Amino acid sequence: MKKIPGFILKNGIEIPVAAFGTYKAADGKSAQVIRAAIEAGYRCFDTASFYGTETYLAEAIRESGIAREEFFITSKVWKTEMGYENTKQAFERTLKNLDTDYLDMYLIHWPLPEPGYRDWKALDLETWRAMEDLYAEGKIRAIGLSNFLPHHIENILANCRVEPVTDQLEYHPGYSQEAAVQYCQARRILVQAWSPIGRRRVLEEPLVRELAEKYGVSPAQICLKFAVQRGILPLPKSSSPERMRENMDLFSFEMEKEDIWRLATMPQQGWSGEHPDRERVKI
């Protein structure tokens, strides 16, 4: 199989550009969707203890017959698992669920366990210290963050032994979080895009459809390429094998700079309603 291009993290580890998000990828209580993703060529998978997909990912990898070393697996410590000892215990559960003795990447899922939590700075640092120790022990190849905004990341950077190599953010045309992205990229923190295709409104946006027609690709591919061309790793998910393969085809076309800026300055739309410091907004 042709090697998928990758991003080099600041600790020298390579992560494939074509990654597959497993959130709600096992709603049928089986590994079928993840098996299909492996068959489509995906080797980079994003999971989390909260998703409930770790055991299904392990099952799909076992059944594939492909060596564990061929995969790049990311998981995350959930809001209720934060703190030094809790994180260590959560990590061991994740290893057991994934049937592996190491992770390629481990992230703090959210900076606050709940909106308004006063001692989040101390809690984040406790959690990070546990991850640094696991990293030093060789149990994790890279450690990072998810849904952290610049003021959350500053707390980590001011107190860490190992700097985070990545931050997962909601990112798509209509919600590109420019301040957070620029902050991360200035510090060589790779941004990974969750919900990179946005909601249906984004796929039906006239500009996205216009560009899809211009480049002869799908609206989803326009959204994913928008991330890749800005140095961001998208984490799409799909249950359709055809769309899985389509979502991997990000290198057969290149968008003009003007079109990238048009997408970056679209009016806000497709936001999930999630914000790390606030109650979720029902959209």
Side-chain angles (χ1 to χ4, degrees):
M1 188 180 76
K2 185 178 178 182
K3 189 177 186 298
I4 295 168
F7 288 112
I8 304 297
L9 303 172
K10 63 179 171 181
N11 69 345
I13 300 297
E14 184 175 7
I15 180 170
V17 170
F20 190 84
T22 66
Y23 182 52
K24 294 187 175 179
D27 283 354
K29 305 301 178 189
S30 79
Q32 183 177 350
V33 169
I34 300 172
R35 277 200 303 269
I38 293 173
E39 289 168 4
Y42 287 93
R43 297 293 180 267
C44 184
F45 287 89
D46 180 79
T47 185
S49 60
F50 177 72
Y51 297 169
T53 55
E54 291 174 333
T55 56
Y56 299 114
L57 177 55
E59 181 184 340
I61 290 174
R62 278 195 306 271
E63 292 178 353
S64 74
I66 299 169
R68 161 67 179 92
E69 293 72 24
E70 296 293 315
F71 292 90
F72 192 105
I73 301 175
T74 298
S75 194
K76 312 178 194 73
V77 58
W78 184 239
K79 297 175 181 180
T80 57
E81 299 169 330
M82 296 170 74
Y84 185 83
E85 291 299 336
N86 285 347
T87 296
K88 288 250 184 143
Q89 291 167 15
F91 177 75
E92 291 302 325
R93 286 194 297 271
T94 280
L95 286 189
K96 184 176 180 181
N97 287 340
L98 286 166
D99 192 21
T100 185
D101 57 4
Y102 74 97
L103 277 186
D104 296 284
M105 188 180 288
Y106 200 41
L107 313 178
I108 304 178
H109 208 146
W110 290 90
L112 277 69
E114 59 188 27
Y117 189 87
R118 291 181 177 273
D119 296 327
W120 63 267
K121 288 186 177 182
L123 185 62
D124 284 359
L125 293 180
E126 275 187 52
T127 305
W128 190 252
R129 186 163 58 87
M131 293 170 63
E132 288 177 321
D133 288 349
L134 292 165
Y135 177 76
E137 293 165 16
K139 294 182 176 180
I140 310 170
R141 299 176 68 218
I143 54 177
L145 309 167
S146 177
N147 299 298
F148 276 58
L149 300 178
H151 58 289
H152 305 128
I153 302 173
E154 286 279 285
N155 177 48
I156 299 289
L157 291 179
N159 296 283
C160 66
R161 288 175 284 138
V162 180
E163 292 188 358
V165 299
T166 194
D167 186 23
Q168 290 188 1
L169 296 169
E170 179 177 359
Y171 178 93
H172 52 76
Y175 195 72
S176 55
Q177 302 212 62
E178 296 298 325
V181 168
Q182 289 179 24
Y183 175 92
C184 288
Q185 292 185 333
R187 290 156 183 80
R188 293 185 61 209
I189 297 172
L190 175 69
V191 175
Q192 298 185 49
W194 64 261
S195 192
I197 296 170
R199 305 302 180 272
R200 183 172 294 276
R201 289 190 300 279
V202 176
L203 294 178
E204 294 174 351
E205 156 68 31
L207 173 59
V208 172
R209 297 185 73 84
E210 173 197 324
L211 295 179
E213 185 175 347
K214 174 179 177 178
Y215 293 102
V217 297
S218 70
Q221 284 172 289
I222 291 294
C223 294
L224 298 175
K225 188 68 171 184
F226 171 62
V228 172
Q229 280 194 229
R230 301 195 78 196
I232 293 169
L233 189 154
L235 300 168
K237 60 181 188 291
S238 174
S239 58
S240 160
E242 182 181 350
R243 288 199 183 93
M244 288 176 187
R245 289 188 291 272
E246 183 182 88
N247 289 345
M248 290 185 73
D249 180 19
L250 301 177
F251 306 99
S252 61
F253 72 104
E254 195 83 1
M255 285 193 284
E256 297 171 7
K257 283 186 180 179
E258 179 180 314
D259 293 331
I260 294 291
W261 286 120
R262 292 171 73 199
L263 290 168
T265 52
M266 268 174 48
Q268 179 168 311
Q269 60 183 288
W271 177 43
S272 68
E274 294 275 14
H275 189 286
D277 292 329
R278 304 187 180 196
E279 296 286 350
R280 181 172 184 178
V281 177
K282 292 184 179 180
I283 303 297

